[in-house]
């Protein structure tokens, strides 16, 4: 799900401010480590990004409203998860503890889309390097994703 507010810069260029939210279909656990402990983490509800994007539209037909869009994006990405302490590295006893946490990083994206009248299809590649700002994660955790979507514009 996403919502973007579009501002026209020129006839065929635009600037958007908005967000995308993703709901998890498969909530597989992943593990992370801190200096003295190991955690089991499960996606809680959603992840997403808040940001800006610039776009350019290329008209494909003179008779109909058909256009190809190109749009890079930049923003802040987040991932909400439940984190549960499952072991201490030194082998000592511990109290089970679960907390809701959020990972965050920057977001870079590159997308293309095709519009026919007010409806369109989009494809976007997203790069979100969570490992860069969050210790204890696997090196490629959540760093890439692809989004396909149907777009309605007014």
């Amino acid at each position: 799900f996403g919502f973007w507010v579009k501002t026209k810069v020129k006839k065929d260029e635009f600037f958007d401010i908005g967000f995308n939210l993703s709901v998890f279909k498969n909530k597989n656990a992943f593990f992370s480590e801190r200096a003295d402990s190991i955690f089991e983490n499960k996606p809680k509800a959603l992840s997403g990004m808040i940001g800006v994007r610039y776009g350019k539209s290329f008209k494909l037909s003179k008779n109909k409203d058909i256009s190809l869009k190109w749009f890079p994006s930049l923003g802040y990405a987040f991932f909400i998860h439940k984190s549960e302490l499952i072991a201490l590295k030194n082998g000592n006893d511990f109290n089970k503890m679960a907390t809701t946490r959020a990972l965050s990083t920057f977001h870079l994206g590159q997308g293309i889309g095709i519009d026919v009248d007010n409806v369109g299809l989009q494809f976007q590649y997203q790069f979100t390097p969570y490992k860069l700002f969050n210790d204890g994660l696997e090196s490629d955790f959540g760093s890439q994703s692809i989004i396909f979507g149907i777009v309605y514009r007014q």
Side-chain angles (χ1 to χ4, degrees):
F1 172 77
F3 181 80
W4 294 86
V5 176
K6 183 177 292 204
T7 304
K8 226 175 207 185
V9 176
K10 292 183 181 175
K11 181 180 177 186
D12 58 352
E13 295 179 19
F14 54 90
F15 181 78
D16 296 346
I17 298 173
F19 65 90
N20 286 338
L21 296 176
S22 300
V23 177
F24 301 109
K25 179 180 177 184
N26 190 352
K27 296 184 178 185
N28 290 335
F30 63 95
F31 297 91
S32 61
E33 295 184 15
R34 298 242 163 73
D36 63 345
S37 44
I38 300 172
F39 292 86
E40 180 181 31
N41 305 287
K42 292 182 181 169
K44 184 85 172 161
L46 56 94
S47 68
M49 70 80 68
I50 300 167
V52 296
R53 63 186 186 190
Y54 165 81
K56 183 142 178 82
S57 183
F58 303 93
K59 195 158 179 77
L60 298 178
S61 172
K62 291 182 181 179
N63 300 332
K64 292 185 178 182
D65 188 12
I66 301 173
S67 60
L68 180 69
K69 290 190 305 186
W70 165 77
F71 50 93
S73 58
L74 173 67
Y76 165 80
F78 62 92
F79 177 86
I80 300 171
H81 66 284
K82 180 180 175 183
S83 185
E84 185 174 348
L85 177 63
I86 60 169
L88 293 176
K89 290 182 181 177
N90 61 15
N92 290 344
D93 290 338
F94 62 93
N95 292 329
K96 277 204 165 193
M97 175 181 72
T99 58
T100 299
R101 295 184 176 185
L103 302 175
S104 61
T105 190
F106 65 88
H107 157 93
L108 292 173
Q110 183 64 58
I112 59 171
I114 188 161
D115 290 341
V116 178
D117 294 323
N118 291 341
V119 179
L121 294 174
Q122 270 186 14
F123 168 82
Q124 186 176 12
Y125 167 79
Q126 296 184 338
F127 176 65
T128 51
Y130 286 102
K131 173 71 174 159
L132 193 60
F133 300 105
N134 301 278
D135 294 334
L137 296 174
E138 297 173 11
S139 62
D140 62 347
F141 175 81
S143 61
Q144 301 179 67
S145 62
I146 295 176
I147 294 177
F148 291 99
I150 298 172
V151 178
Y152 176 76
R153 61 186 173 105
Q154 289 185 304

